């Protein structure tokens, strides 16, 4: 297994360095450890190294880890595609869902969120580059969906999530992140109901510098922390 503690320190240094270069407070940028395909021991190691937020794409795999680490104060984030028949379980076991892409999914998450839990934090997934291979709504669909989701009682709409197409230069990486940041600003001005949106979930191991420069508040980092997937 790679030296996860060393890797976390390296990622944290990258985060702090690039936040300073962008004139940002590093404390406004959160690190989400993407643990999909990793064993429970990797999650435990990252937790002991100080991480508290973990992201999973696949529900069954996530539930096994949630159960195995139930004594740890972990906040779990669902970042994969949300299937209709999985909303009840997701609503009960996660603090965040980054990948809401329809009103139907949002309504089900709201209706199925247990009453004893705080509202579920959600982001709308935007297909920022219009890729047919990726989920997410178009930028034009964001405002009406955001207004509808913001009214749901057991959800707290936080902002947007994007997964841009791969790009090789930092300049090319920054362009879709800038469009996402502009879209969030437009939403904040579009309606008082959306003025408090504060989240841009964007940036992974290969493009976190570009994401930080354009305003990311959640970096979804897997490989740079855990190395290649084990499963």
């Amino acid at each position: 297994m790679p030296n996860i503690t060393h890797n976390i320190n390296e990622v944290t240094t990258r985060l702090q360095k690039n936040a300073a270069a962008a004139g940002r407070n590093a404390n406004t940028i959160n690190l989400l450890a993407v643990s999909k395909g990793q064993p429970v021991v990797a999650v435990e190691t990252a937790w002991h190294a100080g991480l508290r937020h973990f992201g999973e794409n696949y529900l069954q795999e996530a539930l096994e880890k949630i159960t195995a680490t139930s004594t740890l104060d972990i906040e779990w984030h669902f970042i994969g595609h949300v299937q209709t028949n999985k909303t009840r379980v997701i609503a009960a076991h996660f603090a965040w869902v980054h990948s809401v892409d329809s009103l139907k999914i949002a309504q089900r998450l709201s209706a199925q969120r247990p009453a004893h839990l705080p509202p579920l934090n959600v982001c709308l997934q935007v297909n920022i580059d219009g890729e047919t291979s990726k989920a997410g709504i178009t930028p034009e669909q964001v405002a009406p969906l955001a207004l509808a989701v913001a009214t749901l009682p057991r959800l707290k709409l936080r902002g947007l999530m994007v997964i841009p197409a791969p790009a090789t230069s930092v300049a090319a990486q920054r362009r879709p992140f800038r469009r996402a940041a502009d879209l969030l600003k437009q939403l904040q001005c579009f309606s008082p109901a959306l003025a408090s949106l504060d989240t841009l979930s964007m940036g992974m191991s290969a493009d976190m510098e570009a994401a930080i420069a354009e305003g990311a508040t959640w970096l979804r980092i897997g490989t740079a922390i855990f190395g290649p997937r084990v499963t």
Side-chain angles (χ1 to χ4, degrees), residues 36-116:
K36 70 176 180 179
Q38 301 295 336
V40 171
V41 66
V43 173
E44 294 171 337
T45 302
W47 182 88
H48 284 293
L51 298 189
R52 295 295 181 267
H53 300 273
F54 291 81
E56 289 284 335
N57 291 63
Y58 306 114
L59 183 57
Q60 190 56 46
E61 179 185 347
L63 292 176
E64 293 170 2
K65 292 175 189 172
I66 291 170
T67 299
T69 61
S70 60
T71 60
L72 306 181
D73 58 333
I74 290 176
E75 188 166 86
W76 290 97
H77 298 233
F78 193 79
I79 59 175
H81 178 63
V82 182
Q83 296 175 297
T84 304
N85 63 344
K86 304 290 178 63
T87 54
R88 184 176 298 279
V89 181
I90 291 172
H93 288 87
F94 292 83
W96 284 72
V97 176
H98 291 234
S99 45
V100 172
D101 62 1
S102 74
L103 181 56
K104 179 180 180 181
I105 290 295
Q107 289 170 331
R108 289 177 64 88
L109 290 171
S110 176
Q112 296 167 349
R113 179 68 168 174
H116 70 279

Side-chain angles (χ1 to χ4, degrees), residues 130-141:
E131 296 179 274
T132 56
S133 61
K134 287 181 181 171
I137 57 175
T138 67
E140 294 74 22
Q141 294 172 314

Side-chain angles (χ1 to χ4, degrees), residues 2-230:
N3 189 330
I4 291 172
T5 300
H6 170 79
N7 291 349
I8 291 170
N9 290 336
E10 290 283 310
V11 170
T12 301
T13 299
R14 286 172 64 188
L15 189 160
Q16 293 171 342
K17 176 183 176 181
N18 285 276
R24 299 185 59 195
N25 182 346
N27 292 330
T28 66
I29 306 168
N30 302 289
L31 195 57
L32 178 59
V34 178
S35 49
K36 70 176 180 179
Q38 301 295 336
V40 171
V41 66
V43 173
E44 294 171 337
T45 302
W47 182 88
H48 284 293
L51 298 189
R52 295 295 181 267
H53 300 273
F54 291 81
E56 289 284 335
N57 291 63
Y58 306 114
L59 183 57
Q60 190 56 46
E61 179 185 347
L63 292 176
E64 293 170 2
K65 292 175 189 172
I66 291 170
T67 299
T69 61
S70 60
T71 60
L72 306 181
D73 58 333
I74 290 176
E75 188 166 86
W76 290 97
H77 298 233
F78 193 79
I79 59 175
H81 178 63
V82 182
Q83 296 175 297
T84 304
N85 63 344
K86 304 290 178 63
T87 54
R88 184 176 298 279
V89 181
I90 291 172
H93 288 87
F94 292 83
W96 284 72
V97 176
H98 291 234
S99 45
V100 172
D101 62 1
S102 74
L103 181 56
K104 179 180 180 181
I105 290 295
Q107 289 170 331
R108 289 177 64 88
L109 290 171
S110 176
Q112 296 167 349
R113 179 68 168 174
H116 70 279
L117 295 177
L120 180 64
N121 296 292
V122 300
C123 295
L124 303 183
Q125 181 174 353
V126 184
N127 191 339
I128 200 70
D129 284 324
E131 296 179 274
T132 56
S133 61
K134 287 181 181 171
I137 57 175
T138 67
E140 294 74 22
Q141 294 172 314
V142 170
L145 180 57
L147 282 175
V149 173
T151 68
L152 297 174
R154 301 293 297 140
L155 303 185
K156 183 175 182 180
L157 179 62
R158 298 297 298 267
L160 305 176
M161 185 270 264
V162 298
I163 308 172
T168 54
S169 71
V170 173
Q173 290 172 345
R174 287 184 65 166
R175 284 192 284 270
F177 291 143
R178 187 176 307 127
R179 293 199 299 273
D182 289 344
L183 191 56
L184 182 67
K185 291 174 185 175
Q186 293 168 17
L187 286 177
Q188 291 165 336
C189 298
F190 185 74
S191 166
L194 305 177
S196 64
L197 297 185
D198 59 4
T199 298
L200 282 171
S201 172
M202 61 188 195
M204 296 184 281
S205 297
D207 57 12
M208 63 179 283
E209 288 80 6
I212 290 169
E214 296 299 339
T217 62
W218 281 103
L219 300 171
R220 306 184 307 274
I221 308 298
T223 304
I225 292 175
F226 298 110
R229 297 181 203 173
V230 176

